[in-house]
Amino acid sequence: MTTVLKFGGSSVATIEQIQAISDYLQTRVATGEKLVVVVSAMGKTTDSLLSLAKQITDRPMIRELDRLLAVGEEQTISLLSIALNSRGVPAISLTGQQAGIDTMGIHTKSKIKAIRKEVLHEKLRQYDVLIVAGFQGVNEAGDVTTLGRGGSDTTAVALAAVLSQRCEIYTDVAGVYTTDPRIHPTAKRLDTVSYDEMMEMSALGSKVMEMRSVELAKKYDVNIFVGKTLSSEGGTWIMDTAQAMEQKAVTSVSVVKNVLSVSIKHIPHTAGVADIFERLSERHVNIDMISQTAFDGEVFLSFTCPLDEEAFLEEALAELTATLPQIKIDRHTEHAKVSVVGIGMRDATGVASELFATFREMGIPFYQVTTSEISISYTIQEQDVEAAVAAIAARFNL
Ligand code: ASP
Ligand code: MG
């Protein structure tokens, strides 16, 4: 049997950790398993590499940046292979290219196009452990590309899709929780979570799994186990839970901090709104949570964006007030987005009303509210996040 495992950056941050993981892998191999192990860069290596380039220029060439960032994972694969071979375990490290991972799309945000799995099958006949660099592949031009931050999860799931249909992801938390335990210490671990819920949670702020990897797992029916590295605490299965007997309306609460909220009134109808979004998109401001209402030929518009894009936003707003002097702008830099997710919301009604009641009881003001088929999101003041999450957790027994 072949199993795909992935160890995140915080699990391979030191030589001691790499040694301990090698001991563990040796015990797995001893039971007759063949392993494909995907690793991330050690600790914060990717951030350090990125900041080296940023010391030279704000806009490094993306081809060269990919070459640089790929180095992080290559350091880990070689060290892990050295450790395994020193224990007598037949193991070999492989870059993305050597593992047959073909990519497409632009540098730093590439997508996996195909995996030439014959290469892997061939190597698995010779070795017990293949150690594959996460987050990287090779494009049609023969250049190294990376898959976007957090992309090692995608590498692991993609390998599982062609090799084993099952993927074990090891990280510093023991699975997927009803909410972030750092915000709400009594958060509970979920035994299972559906692909759809996990994608929604990743999109709405959960950091456990990169969103694209979950999308891929759903598409290729790969079951993912998320657990804590070298722990027997148990973990969470991400899988198709459509067959589950009972589905709770609400399974989790996700939080995004550092949200900037903007509201603009007295915008001339239609033309003004298009003008605003054009200026924002020219500056690549990442807009989220748009809502607008029209009244008496004027528009009232609200939206949010990440706080670290404030400078670009201000530029766009300054241009806008120059052309539309009648508009009034209100902004809040200390907002957070709290989202309630649950696949059961597809059928259950009344979740929104319970949430509004919860905010009323707590006296917590909220600003924007948006919904999707399986989630409801609120912007609130950052100082209210802990109280809001605790109240929601109590209400829905999370
Ligand atoms: N090392 C890369 C990052 O920090 C990829 C990963 O860890 O998944 O984003
Ligand atoms: Mg990660």
Side-chain angles (χ1 to χ4, degrees), residues 6 40 150 153 207-208 210:
K6 181 237 162 185
S40 293
D153 290 344
K207 301 243 163 29
V208 183
E210 186 229 11

